[in-house]
Amino acid sequence: MKLSSKVQSVENRGDYLAIKTDGAQFQVYLLDNNIIRMRGTFQDEFAPEASYALVKTAWADKTDSLMADERQRVQPLPLDLREDADGYSVSTEKLILKINREPFGFEICDKAGNVLHKDLPKRSFLQDDLGRSYHYSTMGDHNFFYGFGEKSGELNKFKRRMRMHNTDSLGWNAAKSDPLYKMIPFYIDFDSQLGIASGLYYNNSNDSTFDMDSEHSNYWHRYSYFECDGGDLDVFFIAGPTIKDVVKHYTDLTGKTAMMPKASLGYMGSTMYYTELDKDADQAILDFVDTCKQNDIPCDGFFMSSGYTTGEDGKRYVFNWNKERFPDPQDFVNKLKEKGVLLAPNIKPGMLVTHPLAKDFADADAYIKTPDGQDDQVDQYWGGAAHFVDFTSESGRATWAKFMTKQLLSLGITSIWNDNNEYEINETAAKVEADGVHATIGEVKPIMPTMMAKTAQQAIADYDPNVRPYLINRAGFAGIQRYAQTWAGDNRTSWTNVKYNIPTILGMGLSGVANQGCDIGGFDGPAPEPELFVRWVQNGIFQPRFSIHSSNDDNTVTEPWMYPSYTKYIRDAIQLRYQLIPYFYSLLHEASVTGAPIMRPLVYEFQNDPKTYEESFEFMLGASLLVANVVDKGQTTKKVYLPKGADWYDLTTYHYYNGGQTIEVPVDLGSIPMFLRTGSIIPESKGLMNIHNDTVENLDVLVEPTTASAFQLYEDDGQTMSYKQGNFLTTDISVTPSQHQTLINLHKQGNYDSKLKHYTFRVGCPDIAPLTIELQGQPLAQFLKFDKFNAATEGWFFDGEKRQVIIKFNNVSDSDIKLSIESSVKDLISI
């Protein structure tokens, strides 16, 4: 065993500190005021810098050329190294890093003296006799742990031991299964006693383990630890003090969420059933789209399972079209486009040895190699023995892109579904190119699906630079959010999973992956019973990736109309999803700029309310909307906790509640309990049925005005890359309340020619109805009869049932808009 117990030397090398201990040696960088890097190795030399995850660095990296379009090279902060009796220290504007001499360990404090992180004394960094490296951290009695990427169970991972390892987890249990498909070695440590959050990211793609006080030894203070099977202990400390701050700074480091096409937020139909039909699978999919329309169910896409690639021997061969099932792929794609539906075909990186293109890839040197580097590695895959494309090699990426372009992109397909890409290769010593570093698959396994997504993104850009790619990934590593929307694989049909899929998605959002979802209705197992299916859809409409997808084992197909007497509930829920599309799209843009999750745990928005720390199943959609879905069988009432720090408007009963209390509301099968936070603004598109083909000309804006608030509405064409050249429009909507007046301002910036022609504002009036309303300083007409108001182009009407004033007016595209709502009491009696 090797243990770092005392400092032998500390040297300031300008950009970094070089530290030698009697165990490991370290490099310390002050990357910025919020991020400190502590990189350790027990080897004589550090491994080459070669990260596929980092987009912000302060050092040369082997992947700099590959990542040139997305990586920022910064100058690290200057090092003012100070020494005292206990050791050494360096500082940023916000943080102090202490290097304790003996026993060796790092300690990080804020400028107020609060200890944010401390290594476990006498057991900080060690390597065991099997070559596994460990980093131990102290913890107290008030720590909550969030993040860790794609994990089962409740949101807080205190007392959990979790494995970081990509695996194909068919039928996984959302309450207990571990590991799953993605590996994101990052977590948020929230010290509730201090009220301060911080994060640790381990830039290591070897298999690893986190233990968050599951293990206990009486000989040590309480601790958590990270253990990795190989590689450096490359630790990034990420400062808060809020959870929001930690997520923002972590995504500064690993990248923001990709700005997907607007239609990616629509309903994506899918099932394995259609592509496994003996023939005419294309007609079955087209009929599915038509049936959605007949049932008034919006639909904007279809995820096409891999049965379309089936060869004559019944095996799946990527980039192959089965002509019995799809006789004319080009005609099929064209017809879907006419209907306003994108096609996302499933592709897999394992090339069966019987694949017709197997030799083409071998000749191009595109495969992962055997440990001696002499042959192409073969391992088990779906369908038998297979080779695996090496996406860390230029030849692998180029060959993959070549055939993707020929067989898919040339048909006008710009949405790609990357599946079965966990790279479960038993021979972990198999060789990969690693862009010149020459690593083993065991060192970079989760990198492969991430680079598979980057390859698709680049291939689409090369084929048509103006097209905005839509990529969907099942596996990945830290940074996958830069390329793909993700989903949590092949879940099992059960009440457990509909409920516990919620904290899985929330944890991904806190791990930088804002655009995530789970298969609605359950992928594996029997068809969901009617009540379960309805509840799953009602919950799924709030997930950024919304797709009903199934491979039922009882010969059924999970479709919106599978239970005719329940179809109305499914239809109403999906139409609600489409009503919220302007809100979703603005939240997606926010994620692309700040890294903020779209679905957010309550603690993200209400960090000062202790009752939110353990809440796993209620969540916020953006900052404004609290969702408390019914996710347990047979419920007729639902208990809802309303966080302290705001008051809440029930969107079902139109009743106001004070925050900081648990209420119980009645529910029926159509209920979707939602509560509007005071000081909220939600843009909506009522009546939207297809994102591709419908133009939203009237924007409904729901406003709760009792607290000053602001929201940024984002618009662009939703399809192209022109937003990168500034062709977008932001409208900053601000609300300023006072005793008798509410001012609403719309400030517009950008070059995009908005298609909005009309606004309808629905503004809460909990205490008093308006007396007068002015638009641009001019009075708007008041209507006392709704039918006359409904027929008018502009004016206002007070809805007494909802306690809302409805204000209609035409958009003024080239100027800001100002609304003034006067609410003083009109005296009708005094002379």
Side-chain angles (χ1 to χ4, degrees):
M1 183 187 75
K2 299 177 181 178
L3 172 66
S4 290
S5 59
K6 61 183 177 181
V7 173
Q8 294 179 331
S9 66
V10 177
E11 181 182 348
N12 186 345
R13 295 188 178 175
D15 285 351
Y16 67 94
L17 296 182
I19 303 171
K20 287 188 177 181
T21 74
D22 54 347
Q25 58 177 318
F26 297 85
Q27 295 173 341
V28 172
Y29 289 83
L30 304 182
L31 189 58
D32 60 31
N33 285 314
N34 300 294
I35 302 174
I36 297 176
R37 184 192 193 192
M38 299 161 286
R39 185 189 186 206
T41 182
F42 288 92
Q43 307 303 313
D44 293 335
E45 301 289 339
F46 283 93
E49 297 272 17
S51 175
Y52 295 88
L54 302 177
V55 296
K56 184 175 184 177
T57 61
W59 46 84
D61 189 288
K62 293 284 188 179
T63 65
D64 279 342
S65 176
L66 175 67
M67 306 286 287
D69 61 335
E70 47 185 331
R71 178 168 287 160
Q72 175 191 18
R73 176 81 174 267
V74 300
Q75 182 65 34
L77 300 183
L79 295 162
D80 180 15
L81 181 63
R82 301 189 176 191
E83 184 176 3
D84 60 25
D86 296 323
Y88 307 82
S89 66
V90 289
S91 301
T92 76
E93 289 181 2
K94 297 182 179 181
L95 304 170
I96 301 170
L97 172 68
K98 298 179 181 179
I99 306 160
N100 295 318
R101 183 178 282 108
E102 187 175 5
F104 165 76
F106 295 113
E107 182 176 331
I108 299 174
C109 305
D110 63 18
K111 288 302 177 75
N114 296 306
V115 177
L116 308 179
H117 167 83
K118 184 176 181 180
D119 291 343
L120 184 65
K122 301 182 181 180
R123 204 183 189 185
S124 54
F125 291 84
L126 67 87
Q127 187 177 74
D128 67 17
D129 293 336
L130 298 176
R132 299 174 299 192
S133 296
Y134 296 76
H135 177 218
Y136 285 83
S137 303
T138 61
M139 58 175 292
D141 297 324
H142 303 87
N143 294 78
F144 296 81
F145 300 107
Y146 308 118
F148 303 94
E150 191 172 77
K151 290 297 173 185
S152 64
E154 297 183 353
L155 182 72
N156 178 21
K157 299 301 191 285
F158 174 64
K159 289 292 183 184
R160 286 282 304 274
R161 178 184 283 123
M162 295 157 289
R163 188 182 181 203
M164 295 282 145
H165 172 82
N166 301 74
T167 186
D168 184 341
S169 304
L170 176 67
W172 62 283
N173 181 297
K176 296 182 178 180
S177 294
D178 184 69
L180 298 175
Y181 302 86
K182 299 170 192 70
M183 181 196 290
I184 302 179
F186 162 77
Y187 71 88
I188 298 168
D189 179 357
F190 175 49
D191 185 327
S192 62
Q193 192 170 43
L194 296 175
I196 296 175
S198 61
L200 288 181
Y201 168 60
Y202 292 84
N203 189 37
N204 185 308
S205 52
N206 288 266
D207 278 7
S208 55
T209 299
F210 282 101
D211 189 301
M212 315 312 291
D213 198 48
S214 178
E215 176 180 300
H216 176 72
S217 170
N218 191 46
Y219 298 108
W220 303 93
H221 294 295
R222 292 177 64 187
Y223 58 82
S224 62
Y225 70 78
F226 171 80
E227 173 268 315
C228 56
D229 287 355
D232 294 341
L233 284 166
D234 194 5
V235 190
F236 288 78
F237 174 85
I238 301 169
T242 69
I243 293 172
K244 289 183 181 181
D245 293 330
V246 176
V247 174
K248 180 183 183 300
H249 299 149
Y250 167 71
T251 53
D252 287 343
L253 186 66
T254 63
K256 309 299 182 182
T257 289
M259 194 65 194
M260 295 289 174
K262 193 172 186 178
S264 69
L265 295 170
Y267 166 43
M268 300 289 135
S270 189
T271 175
M272 286 193 68
Y273 191 89
Y274 294 156
T275 56
E276 299 300 324
L277 297 172
D278 291 338
K279 62 178 182 178
D280 299 331
D282 55 348
Q283 298 305 310
I285 294 172
L286 291 168
D287 183 63
F288 169 87
V289 174
D290 291 340
T291 306
C292 282
K293 188 171 184 179
Q294 291 163 14
N295 284 278
D296 294 323
I297 294 172
C299 180
D300 269 271
F302 196 88
F303 292 163
M304 187 167 66
S305 295
S306 58
Y308 80 97
T309 68
T310 303
E312 293 182 0
D313 58 1
K315 295 183 178 182
R316 288 161 171 78
Y317 296 124
V318 64
F319 303 135
N320 174 66
W321 283 93
N322 182 303
K323 292 305 179 70
E324 291 293 320
R325 296 171 177 175
F326 296 87
D328 189 341
Q330 183 68 77
D331 181 66
F332 172 57
V333 173
N334 292 344
K335 286 179 177 176
L336 281 177
K337 284 188 176 182
E338 290 171 6
K339 297 175 186 292
V341 173
L342 63 85
L343 182 69
N346 180 292
I347 58 175
K348 308 178 190 299
M351 304 281 291
L352 297 177
V353 296
T354 53
H355 197 302
L357 299 176
K359 189 174 185 302
D360 296 76
F361 276 76
D363 290 347
D365 198 26
Y367 291 138
I368 292 171
K369 302 293 183 183
T370 52
D372 61 8
Q374 299 303 304
D375 297 300
D376 297 325
Q377 182 67 39
V378 177
D379 214 314
Q380 182 66 21
Y381 198 62
W382 191 6
H387 301 298
F388 295 84
V389 176
D390 183 356
F391 286 104
T392 66
S393 78
E394 184 56 42
S395 57
R397 294 189 290 265
T399 309
W400 188 257
K402 170 185 171 182
F403 286 102
M404 180 190 297
T405 301
K406 179 181 178 181
Q407 296 298 94
L408 300 176
L409 306 188
S410 65
L411 301 176
I413 294 171
T414 56
S415 304
I416 300 294
W417 173 11
N418 295 314
D419 198 9
N420 295 89
N421 52 359
E422 291 74 32
Y423 278 76
E424 291 196 69
I425 297 173
N426 292 307
E427 180 51 84
T428 57
K431 289 291 192 295
V432 302
E433 179 64 23
D435 288 284
V437 174
H438 305 293
T440 67
I441 187 60
E443 295 172 293
V444 300
K445 186 174 73 164
I447 299 297
M448 288 295 173
T450 302
M451 295 308 296
M452 183 183 181
K454 181 176 174 65
T455 301
Q457 184 187 75
Q458 187 61 52
I460 293 170
D462 291 342
Y463 184 75
D464 187 343
N466 199 40
V467 166
R468 197 184 310 182
Y470 175 28
L471 308 175
I472 309 97
N473 253 51
R474 192 169 79 173
F477 188 63
I480 184 59
Q481 67 269 11
R482 305 196 301 267
Y483 312 118
Q485 181 188 75
T486 67
W487 96 107
D490 301 336
N491 54 356
R492 180 79 178 174
T493 302
S494 70
W495 281 98
T496 296
N497 281 5
V498 69
K499 184 172 184 176
Y500 280 86
N501 277 167
I502 296 171
T504 299
I505 296 171
L506 298 178
M508 283 290 280
L510 294 180
S511 304
V513 185
N515 197 346
Q516 160 83 348
C518 294
D519 283 343
I520 306 306
F523 175 82
D524 177 58
E529 60 182 277
E531 182 189 0
L532 174 57
F533 185 41
V534 169
R535 295 308 191 195
W536 215 320
V537 173
Q538 289 171 341
N539 184 52
I541 61 169
F542 299 104
Q543 299 175 13
R545 182 258 195 194
F546 173 52
S547 178
I548 300 170
H549 183 39
S550 65
S551 177
N552 297 342
D553 57 15
D554 57 2
N555 298 326
T556 61
V557 188
T558 305
E559 296 175 307
W561 46 83
M562 66 186 300
Y563 301 116
S565 61
Y566 294 81
T567 302
K568 60 182 179 180
Y569 301 113
I570 306 298
R571 179 192 63 240
D572 290 350
I574 298 178
Q575 287 185 2
L576 174 59
R577 163 65 170 230
Y578 273 67
Q579 180 177 317
L580 291 169
I581 288 299
Y583 186 52
F584 266 105
Y585 198 51
S586 297
L587 294 177
L588 178 61
H589 176 253
E590 182 184 359
S592 75
V593 174
T594 70
I598 295 174
M599 277 177 61
R600 305 172 182 178
L602 298 190
V603 68
Y604 181 90
E605 290 290 336
F606 300 96
Q607 185 171 311
N608 294 326
D609 183 350
K611 290 187 178 179
T612 68
Y613 301 166
E614 298 271 13
E615 178 54 55
S616 297
F617 308 113
E618 291 180 28
F619 58 88
M620 299 294 295
L621 187 68
S624 296
L625 190 63
L626 186 151
V627 181
N629 282 114
V630 181
V631 289
D632 291 301
K633 184 176 181 177
Q635 285 192 292
T636 56
T637 62
K638 169 75 176 180
K639 288 184 178 179
V640 180
Y641 178 69
L642 301 174
K644 183 171 57 177
D647 291 333
W648 300 90
Y649 177 69
D650 188 331
L651 291 176
T652 301
T653 65
Y654 320 122
H655 179 77
Y656 274 87
Y657 292 96
N658 293 327
Q661 64 171 319
T662 298
I663 63 172
E664 190 164 3
V665 297
V667 294
D668 57 28
L669 198 55
S671 297
I672 305 176
M674 295 179 290
F675 299 83
L676 190 66
R677 179 184 190 172
T678 48
S680 288
I681 302 167
I682 297 182
E684 300 177 329
S685 52
K686 294 187 176 180
L688 178 65
M689 295 297 289
N690 184 270
I691 300 169
H692 282 103
N693 291 342
D694 292 356
T695 300
V696 176
E697 296 184 341
N698 184 78
L699 189 75
D700 271 74
V701 183
L702 181 61
V703 176
E704 201 303 309
T706 58
T707 301
S709 59
F711 182 81
Q712 186 175 86
L713 173 71
Y714 177 82
E715 299 174 78
D716 61 22
D717 65 22
Q719 300 179 34
T720 73
M721 298 299 289
S722 64
Y723 76 98
K724 289 278 194 179
Q725 285 73 53
N727 190 23
F728 62 87
L729 179 70
T730 59
T731 302
D732 291 307
I733 306 172
S734 63
V735 178
T736 306
S738 60
Q739 185 176 2
H740 298 301
Q741 187 183 55
T742 298
L743 299 178
I744 301 176
N745 291 324
L746 281 70
H747 174 60
K748 303 175 183 179
Q749 286 185 299
N751 298 320
Y752 177 67
D753 185 15
S754 175
K755 304 302 183 290
L756 295 178
K757 295 182 179 180
H758 312 283
Y759 285 102
T760 300
F761 271 71
R762 301 170 190 271
V763 183
C765 302
D767 300 318
I768 186 171
L771 180 61
T772 60
I773 295 179
E774 292 184 353
L775 172 67
Q776 308 295 67
Q778 299 299 314
L780 275 175
Q782 178 186 8
F783 291 85
L784 297 177
K785 294 184 179 180
F786 186 73
D787 56 345
K788 291 185 177 181
F789 170 73
N790 209 31
T793 303
E794 293 190 327
W796 63 275
F797 174 83
F798 180 69
D799 182 338
E801 180 183 4
K802 295 182 180 179
R803 299 295 302 179
Q804 292 176 350
V805 60
I806 309 173
I807 310 167
K808 296 196 302 188
F809 56 92
N810 294 325
N811 185 23
V812 183
S813 59
D814 59 350
S815 68
D816 293 350
I817 296 173
K818 295 185 178 182
L819 275 175
S820 174
I821 303 172
E822 176 70 33
S823 299
S824 57
V825 177
K826 182 178 182 179
D827 190 345
L828 300 177
I829 298 176
S830 300
I831 296 175

